[in-house]
Amino acid sequence: MTTDAYKERPSLDGPGRALMASGALSSDWVPSYAAVPRSAVLPDLMWPFDMAVGRSVAVSKADDPAKWHEYADSDVPIVTQWDDGKHSGTEPGHVPTSSASMPSVVFRMLQDLDLRPGHKALEIGTATTWNALLMAHRAGPGSVITMEVDRAVATAAMATVERLGIPLHIVHGDGFQGYPQGAPYDRVIATCGLRSIPFAWVEQCRPGGVIVAPWGTNYSHADAVARLVVAPDGESASGRFTGPVEFMKLRSQRFAPRAHSAYVTGSVADGDESSTTITEAEFVGEQFGPERFAMGVRVPRCSYVVAEKSDGARPVWFYSLSDHSWACVMFRDGKTARVWQGGPRRLWDHVEAAFRWWVHRGKPDQTRFGLTVTAEGERVWLDDPAQSWAL
């Protein structure tokens, strides 16, 4: 398969038509979708997410090629590495550490990127190379540099592009500081979740250039895609979030939760007790609901854990990341929720105030929030960039 192989799939297949119908695949990306099948870059053993059972399952191309191709063409995420490569065998590992994202997510982010022919682009997170090859097909030969922090994944990616005969500049390294050797770029995109967007990416992007990256806080995994435009003076990048998403995190920004025992050394009853009229349904919300995203940006340096529900009761925990303050709200069906909190940060007080702030402003979703990145740090805003707050 050489660069001419980009022309081998001129028509749109069934999955592609479904992506177009959903709005994920725009007409200008159809040629790239048709030319670069995801199946061409996936490993023989992979772990797609099975929607029916709600977990990743092993699928071998050698053992069941029909099932392998069915998943390859499906709009599901596919894990391609577990536990930073320490995993072996066919059973899923503990933590997924590299993957091929859902095609619908891939193409929605590429729409946000607004990549044009002739643009020079930097990608952070090579993984299978699919995203980078789609970009290279659209922008042209020699236009895309992609970085991969994992040596084994980078090596496999290099072997993939050599096998396909498609030139792509793959760099093994941590993309947190970008790749100044190839700058300036017209576009920068990250295919991993960020807890802060490095100003180095802004510095390496041309004025008017676009940066697209999944961004969120350590409150939860409820992230959103930030689409930032670099200011004319190059001193900042700012823009709105385009929608919810969940990605594996940039390795240098991974969150390591502290042990519960480091916070609550005795009984939860040792904390100060109160109650709240907020209900479980309105507070917990859906997995990709805006509640968790909003709480994260309004209550910084706090993590949130929703426990399993048992006998009509669900505890929700909050842990401060700046000290050992904690809080627990116990939701019970048909009863007013009880609250306990301890430590210098009155975490539940902050969270409840943030929740009521969110409700008072009409329960804004992720697309009403925005982010501004400068050399001094990041600021989040709602509706108006002039009304922002630091994290």
Side-chain angles (χ1 to χ4, degrees):
M1 186 174 184
T2 65
T3 51
D4 291 335
Y6 273 144
K7 303 174 182 178
E8 290 179 7
R9 298 175 79 213
S11 61
L12 199 61
D13 56 12
R17 289 193 293 272
L19 288 172
M20 283 202 75
S22 72
L25 179 61
S26 56
S27 59
D28 56 330
W29 278 99
V30 166
S32 299
Y33 171 85
V36 188
R38 185 166 74 152
S39 58
V41 300
L42 292 172
D44 290 349
L45 176 62
M46 62 186 190
W47 294 266
F49 188 82
D50 188 318
M51 298 294 186
V53 299
R55 58 182 175 84
S56 297
V57 296
V59 178
S60 168
K61 189 176 184 180
D63 295 341
D64 194 339
K67 187 176 182 181
W68 187 95
H69 280 284
E70 179 184 353
Y71 275 116
D73 291 334
S74 297
D75 190 27
V76 297
I78 297 175
V79 176
T80 54
Q81 185 200 66
W82 296 91
D83 305 325
D84 293 336
K86 299 180 179 66
H87 165 267
S88 62
T90 58
E91 289 300 312
H94 297 290
V95 179
T97 49
S98 192
S99 70
S101 299
M102 296 173 65
S104 57
V105 172
V106 168
F107 284 103
R108 287 188 190 279
M109 288 180 63
L110 289 176
Q111 284 190 58
D112 289 340
L113 192 64
D114 190 27
L115 183 69
R116 307 290 180 87
H119 275 167
K120 189 171 186 180
L122 174 66
E123 179 196 48
I124 311 300
T126 308
T128 64
T129 73
W130 190 45
N131 197 76
L133 290 174
L134 290 167
M135 292 167 60
H137 176 266
R138 182 170 174 79
S143 58
V144 177
I145 297 174
T146 178
M147 300 189 70
E148 174 56 54
V149 69
D150 187 290
R151 182 176 295 278
V153 174
T155 299
M158 293 173 187
T160 294
V161 298
E162 183 177 357
R163 169 173 57 83
L164 297 179
I166 300 173
L168 181 66
H169 188 180
I170 300 172
V171 177
H172 169 237
D174 186 350
F176 181 71
Q177 293 301 326
Y179 190 66
Q181 296 91 322
Y185 304 102
D186 300 287
R187 300 290 187 266
V188 175
I189 185 170
T191 59
C192 50
L194 276 294
R195 291 298 173 248
S196 66
I197 293 178
F199 189 66
W201 297 3
V202 179
E203 293 178 308
Q204 294 170 30
C205 201
R206 299 180 191 275
V210 176
I211 299 171
V212 171
W215 181 96
T217 67
N218 286 320
Y219 183 84
S220 73
H221 294 295
D223 298 348
V225 176
R227 184 186 190 276
L228 312 179
V229 178
V230 179
D233 62 5
E235 295 299 317
S236 66
S238 186
R240 291 184 181 272
F241 295 97
T242 63
V245 74
E246 183 175 338
F247 269 78
M248 299 171 192
K249 303 304 177 281
L250 185 80
R251 293 196 182 181
S252 59
Q253 292 188 357
R254 283 177 178 171
F255 172 57
R258 297 175 185 171
H260 175 81
S261 59
Y263 290 86
V264 184
T265 57
S267 168
V268 67
D270 295 336
D272 297 330
E273 184 175 351
S274 61
S275 63
T276 180
T277 58
I278 297 174
T279 66
E280 175 189 351
E282 62 183 342
F283 183 78
V284 175
E286 301 295 330
Q287 180 182 1
F288 294 107
E291 304 92 341
R292 303 182 191 189
F293 182 81
M295 296 304 98
V297 298
R298 292 298 293 182
V299 188
R301 299 178 301 283
C302 174
S303 68
Y304 153 91
V305 178
V306 180
E308 292 294 326
K309 193 165 187 173
S310 177
D311 296 327
R314 184 193 298 279
V316 177
W317 290 90
F318 307 88
Y319 303 100
S320 171
L321 304 181
S322 57
D323 56 29
H324 286 88
S325 300
W326 60 272
C328 175
V329 55
M330 180 67 75
F331 294 108
R332 288 189 181 275
D333 293 343
K335 296 184 179 180
T336 299
R338 299 171 68 188
V339 177
W340 298 267
Q341 53 188 332
R345 285 185 75 186
R346 313 312 285 168
L347 279 184
W348 174 253
D349 294 349
H350 295 315
V351 170
E352 184 171 31
F355 182 81
R356 298 196 185 283
W357 172 91
W358 176 72
V359 171
H360 179 70
R361 281 157 180 77
K363 299 182 179 180
D365 67 11
Q366 293 89 339
T367 62
R368 282 181 57 190
F369 288 90
L371 180 70
T372 298
V373 180
T374 67
E376 287 71 41
E378 296 176 320
R379 300 187 69 86
V380 177
W381 39 272
L382 177 68
D383 296 330
D384 182 4
Q387 304 295 320
S388 64
W389 59 91
L391 294 176

